[in-house]
C-alpha cells in the first residue's frame, strides 16, 4: 500500500475546508513544479538497461541537469522507479514490494523492451520472465529500445516531468 | 588418466570435439574418476546435461575439466538413466554443487550425496523442469496471481486538487 | 582473515539479508549472510533473479536468430560473447573467415574488454565509497563506446558478428579514430594510479582482504582476472589460442596475493595489454573482404553436422565456454553457456567466511560479477 504523507493529508483537509471560498490549484501547481524538477530515482538495475541508466547518470549525459541525478538506494527515499532490465518471474514480487515501499507521490519509467512487453526474451512457452512491468504495477512512461540510449531515457524523463507539471497522476482522469 | 582404468564403451556414435580427450564414464565410477583429475591438478570447467530421453531414455551428462599449466581439456560423458540418481561430485569439486542443482531443477535429474539439492535459478517451489524436451509451456498456476491484480486505485496516490 | 571456534549457540549469530535490491550487488544478487557481530560466519548467494532462459531459447532459435542473445548474457563485454558464438558455429560448420575479419574481431573485442574493465573500476570504487573515479572511467568508456558504435551501430548489446566475418567493415578512418581513443586512455592512466592505486583509503580496504587460494580456485573453476589475482597465469587467449590472437604479443599480468587489491591491479594491467594488442592489430590490419565472399552470413538457414563441441574464449571476466550439441537441425539441440561469473560467485561461499561485513562489499565487487551472466 502506498503512503499518504502528512502534507497531503493536510492539503486534503485544507482543500475541503476552503472549497467554498478558494481553490488551491496554485499551491498544487507549485508543488508539482518542485516535484518534477527534483525526481529522486531508486538505485535499482535489473540487467543490460541498467548500464545505460548508469551512463545517463554519469559524466557525458549527466542526469543532474534535469534534477534527477540523486539516485537513492532506499525505496523509502525515492519517488521515481526506473525499471531497467528484464523482469524475471523470481524478481517480479520483489519489484512489487519495492514499489509499494516507495512513498507517494511516485512515478515509474519502464526502460527497454523487457519491462514493456518482455522484449527479446518473450516467445511462446517461455517460463522465466514476467512479460512487462505493467502486469503488476503502473507505469507512467515507456522508453522503448534494447537497450534505449541514454538520450532516450532523458527524453522519457522529460516527458515524465511534463506530465507531473500538468498535475496528472494515476487513479485520476486528468 | 590411466588410473581411471577401463571405462564403459561408447553407447552411441556422437562425436565430441574441442577436448583433448573425451571418454565415457559409468555413473558408478564418476566420483572416483573425478577425484583422479582433482589430484592431478585439473579444475572444474563445466557440466552440461543433455536430454536424450526421446531417443535413448537417458540424460547425457558432459563434465569438462581443464588444467591451468598446460591446457588439455578432459571431457567425461555419462550416460545416466533418467530414473536413477547420479552420484554427486560436489565433494570433489566445489563447483559441482551449483551445477548439479541446476541440472536437478532444469531436468529433474537427481544426484545422490548432494548436500543441498534445491532450486538455484528458478523460484523456490517451481514444479516443472523447463529444459526437458517434453516441456512446452509452464502451467498457468505458476504465475503469481496477486501480482497481476491492478494496483490499489487512489490509495497509493492521494487525489490531486483541481 | 580472522577465525573463531565454531559456536553451537544459535543465539550467538544472526542472519542478514543483502539484496536482491542492493546498491552494491551489481544487479539482482541476494546474499544471505550469517553474522557473529560484524564477522561473516557463512555467506550463501541466492541467484536466479535475472534468469532469462538463454539456454532454452537457444533450442528454439536458429543459429543466426540467437546472435542477439549472446551479447545480452554479459552486456559489459557483449562483443566478446557475440564473437564467441559466431566462432563456435564457424568452427563446427567449417566456415572460413577472411583475415581482415579475424584481426578486426580482435580489435573490437579488446576495446570492449577495456570498456568493461573501465566500468568495473568505476563501479567497484563506487562500492567502496569513492564516486570520483566513476566519472573519470565513464568519460573514457564513452570514448570507446562512441568508437564501437561507429562500426557496429550499437553502444552496448552488439550483434555485429556474422558466420564468416563481420556485419560491417571497419571504415578507412577507423584506425585514426582508434589511435585517438588509445591516446586518450593512455593519458588517463597516470591519473588513475595517483587517484586510486596510491590512495591510502583504497589500499587499506583492498590489501589483504578476501584472499582466494589457488586450491579454492581450482575446486570452483575460478578464471579470468579473479584467478590471475591469485597468481595463476591462465588466459584462454594463451592457453587455447583462437582467432588472430597467436599473432600478437602480450603478457598475462598476475599477482600472487589473491586479495582484492591484486584483482584490481590485474585488471588495470590488462587494459594496458589490451591496448598493446590493439596497436599491433591496427598495424597489421590486412585489406580484403570483411565477410567471406559467398558466405551464408545470417540469411540462409544453417545446419551444423551432428556432434558435440566445446569452444572457449577469454571474456573480460574469464573463461567463457560454449558447449554446442547438434543433431543436424537448424537449431542447436542443446547449448550450454559456461559463464565465468558463475564459478567466480560460487567460490565466495568459501572466501567470505571470516571476513567483516564491510569487506563483503569489497570482495563481491572485486570479482566483477554480471548477474544476468550468472543466471543466464
Amino acid at each position: 500500500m502506498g503512503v499518504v504523507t502528512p502534507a497531503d493529508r493536510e492539503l486534503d483537509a485544507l482543500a475541503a475546508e476552503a472549497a467554498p471560498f478558494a481553490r488551491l490549484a496554485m499551491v498544487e501547481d507549485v508543488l508539482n513544479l518542485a516535484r518534477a524538477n527534483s525526481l529522486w530515482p531508486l538505485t535499482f538495475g535489473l540487467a543490460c538497461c541498467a548500464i545505460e541508466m548508469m551512463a545517463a547518470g554519469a559524466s557525458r549525459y549527466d542526469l543532474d541537469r534535469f534534477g534527477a541525478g540523486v539516485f537513492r538506494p532506499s525505496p523509502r527515499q525515492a519517488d521515481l522507479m526506473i525499471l531497467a532490465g528484464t523482469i524475471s518471474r523470481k524478481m517480479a514480487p520483489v519489484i512489487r514490494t519495492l514499489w509499494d515501499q516507495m512513498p507517494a507521490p511516485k512515478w515509474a519509467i519502464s526502460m527497454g523492451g523487457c519491462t514493456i512487453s518482455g522484449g527479446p526474451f518473450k516467445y511462446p512457452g517461455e517460463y522465466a520472465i514476467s512479460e512487462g512491468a505493467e502486469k503488476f504495477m503502473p507505469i507512467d512512461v515507456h522508453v522503448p529500445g534494447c537497450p534505449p540510449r541514454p538520450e532516450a531515457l532523458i527524453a522519457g524523463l522529460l516527458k515524465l516531468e511534463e506530465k507531473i507539471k500538468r498535475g496528472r497522476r494515476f487513479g485520476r482522469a486528468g | 588418466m590411466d588410473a581411471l582404468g577401463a571405462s564403459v564403451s561408447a553407447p552411441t556414435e556422437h562425436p565430441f570435439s574441442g577436448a583433448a580427450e573425451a571418454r565415457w564414464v559409468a555413473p558408478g565410477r564418476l566420483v572416483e574418476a573425478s577425484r583422479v583429475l582433482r589430484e592431478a591438478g585439473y579444475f572444474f570447467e563445466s557440466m552440461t546435461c543433455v536430454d536424450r530421453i526421446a531417443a535413448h531414455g537417458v540424460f547425457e551428462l558432459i563434465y569438462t575439466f581443464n588444467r591451468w599449466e598446460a591446457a588439455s581439456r578432459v571431457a567425461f560423458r555419462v550416460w545416466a538413466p533418467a530414473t536413477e540418481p547420479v552420484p554427486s561430485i560436489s565433494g570433489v569439486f566445489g563447483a559441482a554443487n551449483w551445477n548439479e542443482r541446476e541440472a536437478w531443477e532444469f531436468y529433474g535429474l537427481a544426484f545422490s550425496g548432494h548436500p543441498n539439492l534445491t532450486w538455484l535459478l528458478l523460484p523456490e517451489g517451481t514444479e516443472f523442469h523447463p529444459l526437458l524436451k517434453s516441456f512446452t509451456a509452464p502451467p498457468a498456476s505458476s504465475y503469481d496471481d496477486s501480482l497481476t491484480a491492478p494496483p490499489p486505485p487512489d490509495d497509493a496516490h492521494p487525489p490531486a486538487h483541481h | 582473515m580472522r577465525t573463531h571456534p565454531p559456536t553451537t549457540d544459535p543465539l550467538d549469530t544472526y542472519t542478514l539479508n543483502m539484496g536482491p535490491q542492493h546498491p552494491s550487488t551489481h544487479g539482482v544478487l541476494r546474499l544471505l549472510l550469517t553474522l557473529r557481530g560484524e564477522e561473516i560466519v557463512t555467506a550463501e548467494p541466492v541467484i536466479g533473479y535475472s534468469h532469462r532462459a538463454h539456454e532454452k531459447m537457444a533450442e528454439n532459435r536458429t543459429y543466426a536468430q540467437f546472435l542477439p542473445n549472446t551479447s545480452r548474457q554479459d552486456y559489459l563485454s557483449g562483443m566478446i560473447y557475440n564473437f564467441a558464438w559466431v566462432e563456435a558455429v564457424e568452427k563446427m560448420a567449417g566456415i572460413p573467415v577472411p583475415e581482415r575479419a579475424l584481426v578486426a574481431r580482435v580489435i573490437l573485442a579488446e576495446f570492449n574488454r577495456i570498456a568493461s574493465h573501465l566500468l568495473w573500476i568505476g563501479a567497484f570504487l563506487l562500492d567502496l565509497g569513492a564516486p570520483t573515479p566513476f566519472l573519470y572511467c565513464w568519460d573514457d568508456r564513452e570514448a570507446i563506446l562512441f568508437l564501437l558504435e561507429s562500426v557496429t551501430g550499437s553502444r552496448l548489446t552488439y550483434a555485429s558478428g556474422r558466420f564468416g566475418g563481420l556485419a560491417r567493415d571497419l571504415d578507412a578512418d577507423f584506425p585514426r579514430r582508434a589511435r585517438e581513443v588509445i591516446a586518450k586512455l593512455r593519458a588517463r592512466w597516470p591519473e588513475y594510479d595517483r587517484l586510486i592505486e596510491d590512495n591510502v583509503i583504497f589500499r587499506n580496504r583492498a590489501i589483504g582482504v578476501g584472499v582466494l587460494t589457488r586450491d579454492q580456485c581450482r575446486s570452483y573453476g575460478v578464471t579470468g582476472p579473479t584467478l590471475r589475482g591469485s597468481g595463476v597465469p591462465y588466459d584462454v587467449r594463451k592457453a587455447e589460442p583462437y582467432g588472430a590472437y597467436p599473432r600478437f604479443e602480450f603478457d598475462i599480468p598476475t599477482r600472487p596475493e589473491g586479495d582484492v587489491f591484486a584483482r584490481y591491479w590485474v585488471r588495470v594491467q590488462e587494459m594496458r595489454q589490451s591496448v598493446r594488442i590493439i596497436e599491433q592489430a591496427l598495424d597489421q590490419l590486412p585489406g580484403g573482404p570483411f565477410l567471406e565472399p559467398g558466405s551464408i552470413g545470417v540469411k540462409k538457414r544453417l545446419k551444423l553436422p551432428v556432434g558435440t563441441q566445446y569452444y572457449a574464449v577469454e571474456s573480460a571476466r574469464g573463461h567463457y565456454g560454449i558447449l554446442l550439441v547438434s543433431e543436424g537441425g537448424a537449431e542447436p539441440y542443446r547449448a550450454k553457456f559456461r559463464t565465468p561469473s558463475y564459478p567466480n560467485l560460487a567460490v565466495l561461499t568459501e572466501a567470505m567466511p571470516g571476513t567483516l561485513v564491510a569487506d563483503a562489499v569489497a570482495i563481491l565487487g572485486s570479482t566483477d560479477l554480471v548477474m544476468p551472466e550468472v543466471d543466464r
Side-chain angles (χ1 to χ4, degrees):
Chain A
M1 292 301 102
V3 179
V4 179
T5 61
D8 283 319
R9 249 186 240 120
E10 259 167 50
L11 262 177
D12 279 349
L14 257 176
E17 204 174 298
F21 320 106
R23 293 267 169 197
L24 291 176
M26 281 287 282
V27 179
E28 187 70 12
D29 284 349
V30 172
L31 274 179
N32 282 338
L33 197 64
R35 283 166 182 155
N37 289 301
S38 63
L39 287 168
W40 286 16
L42 181 65
T43 314
F44 179 48
L46 290 163
C48 331
C49 287
I51 303 298
E52 289 298 66
M53 181 174 78
M54 281 162 79
S59 1
R60 181 180 291 210
Y61 295 98
D62 192 10
L63 268 184
D64 275 319
R65 292 178 296 163
F66 310 99
V70 194
F71 281 87
R72 305 311 298 172
S74 165
R76 306 280 186 204
Q77 299 171 349
D79 60 2
L80 169 64
M81 182 186 261
I82 302 176
L83 286 145
T86 318
I87 301 166
S88 71
R89 248 175 234 186
K90 199 169 176 175
M91 193 64 193
V94 181
I95 295 173
R96 180 60 198 261
T97 307
L98 285 170
W99 173 251
D100 289 344
Q101 282 174 340
M102 284 166 60
K106 57 189 169 182
W107 299 273
I109 293 179
S110 78
M111 182 182 183
C114 294
T115 51
I116 296 173
S117 68
F121 300 101
K122 182 179 172 180
Y123 64 94
E126 66 79 21
Y127 65 91
I129 59 156
S130 180
E131 291 169 4
E134 267 184 335
K135 287 208 164 208
F136 56 87
M137 61 178 276
I139 300 289
D140 291 77
V141 178
H142 294 288
V143 181
C146 190
R149 300 175 56 89
E151 290 98 326
L153 178 62
I154 290 171
L157 205 77
L158 293 177
K159 268 265 173 280
L160 178 65
E161 292 188 4
E162 236 173 70
K163 181 177 176 175
I164 298 170
K165 281 181 207 159
R166 284 203 311 265
R168 286 198 185 168
R169 288 194 238 150
F170 294 118
R172 295 186 63 87
Chain B
M1 283 305 293
D2 296 330
L4 292 179
S7 302
V8 287
S9 57
T12 178
E13 284 300 316
H14 197 89
F16 193 102
S17 58
E21 191 175 348
R23 59 164 71 201
W24 292 94
V25 177
R29 302 205 61 189
L30 188 58
V31 176
E32 185 193 342
S34 52
R35 188 161 285 130
V36 170
L37 290 189
R38 178 83 163 94
E39 274 153 22
Y42 281 77
F43 71 88
F44 186 97
E45 204 173 63
S46 74
M47 179 189 142
T48 311
C49 186
V50 185
D51 177 352
R52 295 199 185 280
I53 289 178
H56 304 281
V58 296
F59 289 111
E60 183 189 345
L61 287 172
I62 303 167
Y63 297 78
T64 65
F65 305 91
N66 208 337
R67 264 186 312 198
W68 295 328
E69 296 79 14
S72 86
R73 179 168 298 113
V74 172
F76 283 173
R77 307 176 76 181
V78 180
W79 209 243
T83 47
E84 285 169 38
V86 178
S88 165
I89 62 163
S90 55
V92 185
F93 286 99
N97 188 321
W98 279 14
N99 280 283
E100 285 167 0
R101 280 171 69 179
E102 209 183 300
W104 172 79
E105 67 178 351
F106 282 165
Y107 290 94
L109 178 62
F111 290 86
S112 56
H114 191 285
N116 180 27
L117 201 60
T118 178
W119 291 274
L120 181 73
L121 297 175
L122 298 175
E124 270 178 46
T126 302
E127 278 170 357
F128 52 87
H129 303 293
L131 259 74
L132 285 174
K133 290 283 174 190
S134 58
F135 172 85
T136 47
S141 61
S142 73
Y143 283 98
D144 186 349
D145 289 340
S146 66
L147 286 176
T148 52
D154 269 297
D155 194 13
H157 300 277
H161 305 274
H162 281 289
Chain C
M1 194 89 151
R2 300 155 189 83
T3 46
H4 278 270
T7 175
T8 46
D9 182 7
L11 293 179
D12 200 26
T13 61
Y14 66 101
T15 305
L16 181 74
N17 180 52
M18 201 172 149
Q21 187 264 337
H22 190 277
S24 65
T25 52
H26 292 259
V28 288
L29 168 67
R30 181 171 156 216
L31 273 181
L32 281 175
L33 301 171
T34 312
L35 305 174
R36 186 186 296 121
E38 267 213 80
E39 189 197 318
I40 298 170
V41 182
T42 64
E44 172 71 24
V46 182
I47 61 172
Y49 291 99
S50 191
H51 177 58
R52 307 194 269 191
H54 282 291
E55 290 177 7
K56 187 71 179 177
M57 274 183 89
E59 296 175 15
N60 291 301
R61 294 273 184 284
T62 66
Y63 294 96
Q65 281 173 339
F66 192 68
L67 264 179
N69 273 63
T70 52
S71 55
R72 282 163 183 80
Q73 286 176 22
D74 174 3
Y75 38 78
L76 295 186
S77 56
M79 195 83 83
I80 301 175
Y81 282 61
N82 191 243
F83 292 159
W85 175 255
V86 170
E87 284 161 14
V89 173
E90 281 166 354
K91 198 175 160 213
M92 206 158 167
I95 300 170
V97 188
E99 287 290 294
R100 186 175 172 81
L102 279 181
V103 177
R105 277 181 193 171
V106 168
I107 296 173
L108 297 175
E110 291 305 315
F111 266 121
N112 203 206
R113 191 186 309 275
I114 300 172
S116 171
H117 284 346
L118 278 172
L119 187 141
W120 172 78
I121 293 174
F124 174 55
L125 268 291
L126 201 60
D127 290 348
L128 296 185
T132 313
F134 178 76
L135 298 175
Y136 279 80
C137 293
W138 275 87
D139 185 35
D140 286 357
R141 187 173 177 271
E142 287 289 347
I144 297 176
L145 295 191
F146 193 69
L147 179 74
L148 295 182
E149 192 190 350
S150 71
V151 181
T152 65
S154 37
R155 280 167 53 86
L156 197 67
T157 45
Y158 313 98
S160 51
R162 290 291 180 273
F163 307 128
L166 288 170
R168 250 190 268 180
D169 198 6
L170 303 181
D171 54 279
D173 189 43
F174 178 83
R176 187 192 60 79
R177 279 176 286 139
R179 282 181 213 276
E180 255 179 29
V181 171
I182 288 175
K184 182 181 159 79
L185 294 175
R186 278 236 167 82
R188 274 282 165 79
W189 285 337
E191 286 189 60
Y192 288 147
D193 289 349
R194 286 200 302 273
L195 183 67
I196 305 167
E197 206 168 315
D198 297 343
N199 184 318
V200 67
I201 302 173
F202 173 68
R203 291 180 84 93
N204 283 342
R205 287 208 63 182
I207 292 178
V209 171
V211 176
L212 276 178
T213 67
R214 280 165 153 246
D215 193 62
Q216 284 169 343
C217 293
R218 209 193 293 276
S219 172
Y220 281 86
V222 173
T223 51
T226 311
L227 173 68
R228 295 192 279 274
S230 292
V232 181
Y234 175 75
D235 186 318
V236 185
R237 289 174 294 174
K238 286 269 193 203
E240 295 173 67
Y242 57 92
Y245 280 106
R247 317 176 189 178
F248 307 121
E249 273 179 31
F250 62 99
D251 301 322
I252 308 175
T254 60
R255 235 184 132 99
E257 295 91 348
D259 57 5
V260 171
F261 186 79
R263 296 194 272 277
Y264 166 82
W265 186 89
V266 163
R267 287 197 180 88
V268 169
Q269 299 304 316
E270 259 186 49
M271 295 201 294
R272 292 170 202 208
Q273 296 301 326
S274 290
V275 163
R276 223 175 122 193
I277 297 172
I278 294 168
E279 284 186 325
Q280 293 172 60
L282 286 173
D283 290 340
Q284 299 175 21
L285 186 66
F290 62 97
L291 187 65
E292 188 69 15
S295 158
I296 48 168
V298 292
K299 299 212 169 59
K300 287 186 201 143
R301 276 166 87 83
L302 172 69
K303 288 186 177 171
L304 297 196
V306 175
T308 305
Q309 177 197 265
Y310 191 93
Y311 182 79
V313 301
E314 181 76 18
S315 90
R317 267 144 276 280
H319 176 121
Y320 174 61
I322 297 176
L323 192 131
L324 258 180
V325 181
S326 168
E327 290 284 288
E331 295 106 18
Y333 187 73
R334 172 84 164 99
K336 162 85 183 181
F337 303 101
R338 187 269 187 213
T339 50
S341 292
Y342 187 77
N344 290 6
L345 171 63
V347 75
L348 296 185
T349 49
E350 289 203 11
M352 272 196 179
T355 59
L356 301 179
V357 185
D359 292 339
V361 172
I363 298 168
L364 196 64
S366 73
T367 53
D368 193 7
L369 299 172
V370 169
M371 284 319 289
E373 188 211 31
V374 176
D375 297 340
R376 287 159 289 138

